[in-house]
Structure formats: structure tokens, C-alpha cells
Amino acid sequence: MATLSDSRRNMNGSAVESYHQQLFSESGQSAHRYLTEDRGLSEATIRAFKLGVVADPASGHSNYRGRICIPYLVPNGDVMKLRFRAVPPYEGNAKYLDVAGGSPRMFNTQALTRGGRTIYITEGEVEAITLTQLGYPAVGIAGTQAWQPHFKRMLDGYSRIVVTVDNDDGGAGVEFANHVSAEMEDHEVIHVKAPEGHDINSLFVAESADAVNDLMRRALSTHS
């Protein structure tokens, strides 16, 4: 696993604090509406994950202007990685951008400190944030290609792994879930597939928290 220099940690932390404050400024109103109205995230969730917007870019971040900043926080509060998501409409731009030279990491490793024998894995950060808001211990992986060998060691303490399966991406969600199952083959791995046309976040926004909870209950009841 790649380490991060103290200077890089400090730079990341400063950028995250600035972008988080910008989200609550006049220049961040559009991004704030997107997170709260389009993605259903609460103010408490936004603050807990220190989500932000790049209204006034830090040095070297001009390419991310106008994007949502998603920091990869670790339990001690350090920021190990920054990811930037476009606010719709994308107008041909990439949905996500990473800082050049960064290594793939697991999102929301704070969930690994909660205890328990079950962990939830989502394909993407927003879905992990959504499940956390609903009370589930969830980590996010930014797609099949982002899986790293040391992720297995991080998850080995769990007896049951629940993988949410996106159903709005032409099969990529199934590929991701199957990849996790193969990597964690010595664990009980349960796939929870979203209804057609949805992922966990869009189901939550379009219907309700109850819809997500019911989906989880039905899937888990077959493995009890």
C-alpha cells in the first residue's frame, strides 16, 4: 500500500477544509443543492464526510474547478486521497477525476472501526456515504480496476461481506460484485442487487430509506 508524505497529507487536509467551507458559501449553492436534493444527503452527512466543492481551486487543482471534492478520510482524520466528481450536466467531461499519481484506496475506512461481523461494500463513494447515512457500516471501492490486494487483508476480520450491485450500468455492477466474491472467496459474500435502473443512492432518492432497508432485509434473510 502506497504511503503518503506528511507534506501531501497537510496539503490534502488544507484543500479539503477550504473546499468544505466553499460548499456552504454562495459559490457552492449549486453543488450543495446537488448533494442534498439530487443525492439525498443530509447536512450531518455532508459535514461528517467533509464533502466540498472546488469553487476557488488550490494550487494545482484548476482542472477540478466546479467539481464536488470527495476526501478519503481515515480514522485519525488524515486525508489520504481526493476524488473530484462533476456536477451534472457533464457536457462531455469525465464524471470522476483523480489527482495524478494517486493510488487506489478504500473509501470510508472509518467503517472498519465500528466493530461487528458484517461489512457492506459499494461500487463508488456516494453509495457508501448513502448506506452510512442509513446506519450501515459501508466502504466504497471505485470500480473493479481499483481493487487492491491489501483490501482483502483489511476485510479478513469480517465473517460476512455484503456487496451492493448497481443495476444501472450495463452489467458493470455485476462484474464488480463477482470480482469481490472471487477475491474474498473464503468469506460469506452476499450480493444485494438494486432494482433495474437503480443503484443504492438512486433507489434511496427515488423511493425512500425504507426501500433500501427492505432490499437489504430480503437479501440477507435468504442467508440467515
Side-chain angles (χ1 to χ4, degrees):
M1 178 171 54
T3 58
L4 206 65
S5 68
D6 288 343
S7 62
R8 174 55 64 182
R9 290 172 196 253
N10 291 335
M11 290 172 61
N12 284 352
S14 296
V16 165
E17 290 298 334
S18 176
Y19 298 152
H20 184 58
Q21 294 302 316
Q22 291 172 36
L23 182 66
F24 296 96
S25 70
E26 184 176 354
S27 57
Q29 288 180 354
S30 177
H32 188 274
R33 280 196 302 272
Y34 169 72
L35 291 172
T36 56
E37 297 178 12
D38 295 358
R39 307 313 294 260
L41 303 183
S42 68
E43 294 288 344
T45 294
I46 289 170
R47 293 187 184 279
F49 284 91
K50 293 191 175 180
L51 302 178
V53 66
V54 187
D56 180 16
S59 177
H61 286 182
S62 59
N63 288 344
Y64 313 125
R65 186 185 298 274
R67 288 176 173 264
I68 301 290
C69 176
I70 304 173
Y72 278 53
L73 306 171
V74 293
N76 71 358
D78 283 348
V79 181
M80 304 303 292
K81 174 185 173 74
L82 302 178
R83 203 155 190 242
F84 300 93
R85 192 195 193 285
V87 177
Y90 307 125
E91 298 179 353
N93 296 320
K95 185 184 293 187
Y96 286 96
L97 292 176
D98 293 293
V99 176
S103 301
R105 294 184 180 273
M106 184 181 291
F107 177 75
N108 195 34
T109 55
Q110 298 97 310
L112 304 181
T113 68
R114 288 181 51 177
R117 307 301 294 171
T118 300
I119 190 71
Y120 293 75
I121 302 179
T122 71
E123 185 181 11
E125 300 89 357
V126 174
E127 283 67 41
I129 293 171
T130 302
L131 284 185
T132 301
Q133 180 169 300
L134 297 181
Y136 298 90
V139 297
I141 311 294
T144 302
Q145 299 304 315
W147 182 273
Q148 299 294 295
H150 67 270
F151 290 173
K152 182 180 186 303
R153 296 193 299 273
M154 297 171 70
L155 299 168
D156 268 340
Y158 293 94
S159 58
R160 182 163 66 173
I161 295 171
V162 181
V163 185
T164 63
V165 184
D166 296 351
N167 198 7
D168 61 351
D169 54 10
V174 173
E175 178 186 355
F176 172 77
N178 289 339
H179 184 82
V180 174
S181 290
E183 292 288 338
M184 306 300 297
E185 60 182 355
D186 53 345
H187 294 65
E188 179 187 15
V189 181
I190 301 171
H191 294 183
V192 179
K193 192 172 186 178
E196 185 174 357
H198 284 292
D199 58 28
I200 290 298
N201 177 260
S202 67
L203 176 64
F204 167 59
V205 173
E207 297 191 24
S208 65
D210 286 344
V212 176
N213 292 332
D214 287 345
L215 179 71
M216 294 296 179
R217 270 195 297 270
R218 289 196 303 272
L220 297 182
S221 66
T222 64
H223 294 266
S224 59

